[in-house]
């Protein structure tokens, strides 16, 4: 079960599709195996970059169950955000019975006030049950819900089953520092894993993050970066990050970021196709050439990209 001591890299997994939109089960298996080989501590499925809203309820449960059964020692977190608590409860129950380590909940965009935000998560925690550990997703850039450190402290304090914060605010480094200061003042500790495509992971680790929960197309690099930072090898960690930063930046583009990620994962042989289920953006021929160029430049600094050099 997921707990407050979780650390390392929890890869946000895309959902592999065939070009005709069918779920690609063979690629799911290969993807899970690749993440295990990369040294990931866990996998998060059915997140925003997993195209969860495009899945039928049975498909979502089947995909999560397949990943759980394949994951071995890796912990699996499942995104269960939904418009209503009935759907959230049903998916949470199904994946926890299948062996998930916990679930992740994002706030609906309709929340406006601090009290509304706190009340929503208390109701969500009640809906999934106190025995289910859950991750609080803080992603205001996409979700439009701003949670101050004080609001997050209230949510953590009032909900013992909240064991992790997925931190994706931007700018957000000071938020991490504020939360760690709250712990020194008596707030219950939670694990903090960060997202945003790893765009700020180098400094997030130094501010007190326990690792990353994101899906950058080189998860093995994320594992190395987290380990180097944890070992206090600051310059080595930043050198590695700097080599990947141009591709991280390119992948972080709103609207086409998932297309970039899937394209590189396909080129690495981790998934068979870069297809997205409709509606979904596709890379233009010019964009593919730019990604190929970035991979060729990355190959000068990281052997992982050498076989992909155009």
């Amino acid at each position: 079960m997921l707990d407050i001591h979780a650390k390392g890299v929890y890869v946000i997994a895309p959902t592999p599709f065939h070009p005709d939109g069918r779920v690609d089960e063979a690629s799911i298996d290969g993807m899970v195996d690749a993440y295990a080989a990369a040294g990931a501590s866990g996998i998060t499925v059915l997140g925003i970059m997993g195209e969860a809203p495009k899945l039928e309820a049975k498909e979502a449960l089947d995909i999560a169950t397949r990943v759980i059964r394949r994951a071995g020692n890796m912990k699996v977190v499942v995104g269960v955000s939904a418009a209503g608590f009935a759907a959230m409860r049903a998916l949470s129950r199904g994946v926890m019975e299948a062996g998930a380590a916990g679930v992740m909940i994002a706030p609906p965009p309709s929340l406006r006030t601090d009290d509304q935000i706190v009340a929503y998560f208390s109701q969500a925690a009640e809906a999934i049950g106190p025995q289910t550990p859950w991750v609080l997703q803080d992603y205001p850039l996409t979700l439009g819900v701003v949670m101050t450190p004080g609001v997050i402290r209230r949510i953590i304090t009032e909900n013992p089953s909240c064991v992790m914060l997925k931190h994706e605010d931007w700018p957000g480094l000071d938020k991490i520092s504020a939360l760690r200061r709250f712990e020194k003042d008596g707030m219950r500790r939670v694990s903090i894993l960060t997202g945003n495509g790893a765009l700020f992971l180098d400094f997030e680790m130094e501010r007190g993050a326990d690792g990353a929960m994101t899906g950058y197309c080189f998860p093995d690099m994320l594992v190395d970066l987290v380990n180097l930072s944890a070992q206090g090898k600051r310059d080595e960690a930043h050198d590695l990050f700097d080599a990947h930063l141009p591709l991280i930046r390119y992948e972080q583009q709103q609207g086409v970021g998932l297309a970039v990620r899937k394209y590189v994962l396909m080129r690495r042989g981790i998934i068979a196709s870069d297809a997205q289920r409709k509606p979904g953006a596709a890379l233009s021929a010019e964009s593919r050439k730019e990604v190929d160029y970035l991979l060729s430049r990355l190959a000068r600094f990281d052997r992982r990209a050498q076989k992909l050099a155009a």
Side-chain angles (χ1 to χ4, degrees):
M1 300 284 279
L2 197 67
D3 61 31
I4 63 172
H5 304 292
K7 61 182 180 179
V9 174
Y10 282 59
V11 184
I12 292 286
T15 300
F17 294 108
H18 292 288
D20 62 4
R22 290 177 297 117
V23 174
D24 184 350
E25 295 178 344
S27 282
I28 291 176
D29 293 347
M31 176 182 70
V32 173
D33 293 348
Y35 292 159
S41 300
I43 302 176
T44 301
V45 297
L46 307 185
I48 292 173
M49 297 297 268
E51 301 180 72
K54 303 175 187 177
L55 300 171
E56 298 176 2
K58 184 179 184 302
E59 285 181 316
L61 180 56
D62 288 347
I63 290 168
T65 300
R66 190 176 191 93
V67 172
I68 291 165
R69 292 174 177 171
R70 189 83 179 188
N73 293 327
M74 293 184 294
K75 295 182 178 181
V76 179
V77 176
V78 181
V80 296
S81 303
F85 290 136
M88 182 185 296
R89 182 186 302 111
L91 183 54
S92 296
R93 182 183 300 118
V95 299
M96 294 305 293
E97 289 176 353
V103 302
M104 182 168 66
I105 304 173
S110 58
L111 301 179
R112 291 293 179 265
T113 69
D114 291 351
D115 288 344
Q116 287 175 343
I117 296 168
V118 173
Y120 175 83
F121 282 105
S122 292
Q123 293 169 4
E126 180 183 11
I128 64 175
Q131 74 286 352
T132 301
W134 58 279
V135 180
L136 169 63
Q137 185 172 13
D138 179 21
Y139 196 7
L141 277 74
T142 292
L143 301 172
V145 178
V146 177
M147 291 185 272
T148 66
V151 166
I152 293 173
R153 176 171 57 182
R154 288 175 60 187
I155 295 169
I156 291 170
T157 300
E158 295 178 16
N159 299 281
S161 55
C162 177
V163 298
M164 179 187 291
L165 171 68
K166 186 187 179 189
H167 171 275
E168 298 191 89
D169 204 348
W170 180 0
L173 293 173
D174 287 340
K175 179 180 280 190
I176 297 173
S177 296
L179 292 169
R180 290 310 190 202
R181 284 196 298 270
F182 287 164
E183 292 171 4
K184 294 179 180 178
D185 294 335
M187 185 186 80
R188 177 174 62 86
R189 188 191 193 281
V190 297
S191 171
I192 299 178
L193 300 187
T194 64
N196 269 327
L199 195 56
F200 303 99
L201 182 58
D202 51 345
F203 286 113
E204 287 167 340
M205 291 296 299
E206 296 177 9
R207 292 293 191 109
D210 297 295
M213 183 184 281
T214 193
Y216 174 56
C217 52
F218 281 85
D220 35 358
M221 183 283 285
L222 299 180
V223 172
D224 288 348
L225 176 59
V226 168
N227 289 339
L228 287 169
S229 184
Q231 295 164 12
K233 298 179 180 179
R234 187 184 196 193
D235 288 342
E236 291 182 46
H238 280 272
D239 287 344
L240 178 60
F241 178 82
D242 291 349
H244 281 260
L245 183 55
L247 183 57
I248 290 174
R249 180 193 63 178
Y250 201 94
E251 193 195 73
Q252 192 62 16
Q253 295 178 88
Q254 292 292 321
V256 298
L258 179 59
V260 175
R261 183 172 299 174
K262 280 192 163 185
Y263 175 65
V264 178
L265 291 175
M266 178 185 69
R267 289 210 52 201
R268 298 191 72 191
I270 294 175
I271 58 177
S273 169
D274 62 350
Q276 297 180 53
R277 183 170 281 184
K278 297 178 182 179
L283 290 184
S284 65
E286 292 84 354
S287 295
R288 289 188 178 221
K289 289 178 180 178
E290 288 167 350
V291 174
D292 291 341
Y293 176 67
L294 290 174
L295 290 170
S296 70
R297 289 186 59 80
L298 179 60
R300 297 160 56 193
F301 304 100
D302 193 325
R303 57 178 174 74
R304 282 171 282 225
Q306 289 177 356
K307 68 177 182 179
L308 307 179

